[in-house]
Amino acid sequence: MNILIINGPNLNLLGKREKGVYGERSFDDCLAELRERYASHTIHYFQSNIEGELIDRIHQFGFEGDAIILNAGAYTHTSIALSDAIRAVPAPVIEVHISNIHSREPYRHVSMIAAACKGSIVGFGLDSYRLALEAVVNG
């Protein structure tokens, strides 16, 4: 399978920011482990703090790839444009969050992208990405 992981704003700071919420590991370490564990699949990675770049990447990959795993960060709670981009492409999108967005501030309880996604995985730390890959690979 050809899979893209997309991380949105501030996720480039994993391992450095709010360690009590997001942990101490960088995403580079997590990605290396995922690529090793799922070596028979091609895992691409993209991160941006810019909403339009996330949308562009969904458009580019969503017509040729097999699946997208998306942690939209704070755009989860604000972006109808991301929701529309997800709906526009045939590749299934799995929404991922490191923290449990439902146990945090009230404004984080609503996901503007969840209804457009095949499913959501929240609250399992960086292991959320592995769980999303399991869902994609095992169908």
Side-chain angles (χ1 to χ4, degrees):
M1 293 188 85
N2 198 17
I3 302 161
L4 172 63
I5 297 173
I6 299 176
N7 274 339
N10 301 308
L11 292 166
N12 56 306
L13 298 177
L14 290 176
K16 297 176 184 175
R17 70 178 277 228
E18 298 176 271
K19 293 180 183 181
V21 175
Y22 299 106
E24 299 201 9
R25 292 179 54 218
S26 73
F27 191 76
D28 289 339
D29 292 339
C30 176
L31 183 59
E33 290 173 13
L34 293 173
R35 285 180 169 153
E36 183 178 329
R37 184 176 187 141
Y38 298 94
S40 63
H41 303 282
T42 302
I43 300 174
H44 305 274
Y45 177 63
F46 179 74
Q47 188 279 327
S48 179
N49 295 314
I50 302 168
E51 183 180 23
E53 290 182 0
L54 301 176
I55 291 166
D56 286 344
R57 191 55 59 107
I58 290 168
H59 290 173
Q60 291 165 357
F61 192 86
F63 287 99
E64 60 189 49
D66 295 307
I68 298 171
I69 295 168
L70 172 62
N71 185 338
Y75 290 136
T76 298
H77 317 292
T78 63
S79 183
I80 295 168
L82 275 173
S83 180
D84 288 347
I86 293 165
R87 292 178 197 277
V89 300
V93 177
I94 306 292
E95 175 186 19
V96 165
H97 295 285
I98 296 166
S99 68
N100 181 351
I101 61 174
H102 305 291
S103 68
R104 296 186 63 195
E105 302 92 342
Y107 65 86
R108 295 187 194 272
H109 296 183
V110 176
S111 170
M112 300 300 286
I113 66 171
C117 292
K118 181 176 181 180
S120 301
I121 299 172
V122 303
F124 294 97
L126 289 177
D127 209 32
S128 295
Y129 293 92
R130 181 191 59 78
L131 295 169
L133 276 166
E134 294 275 333
V136 166
V137 169
N138 296 324

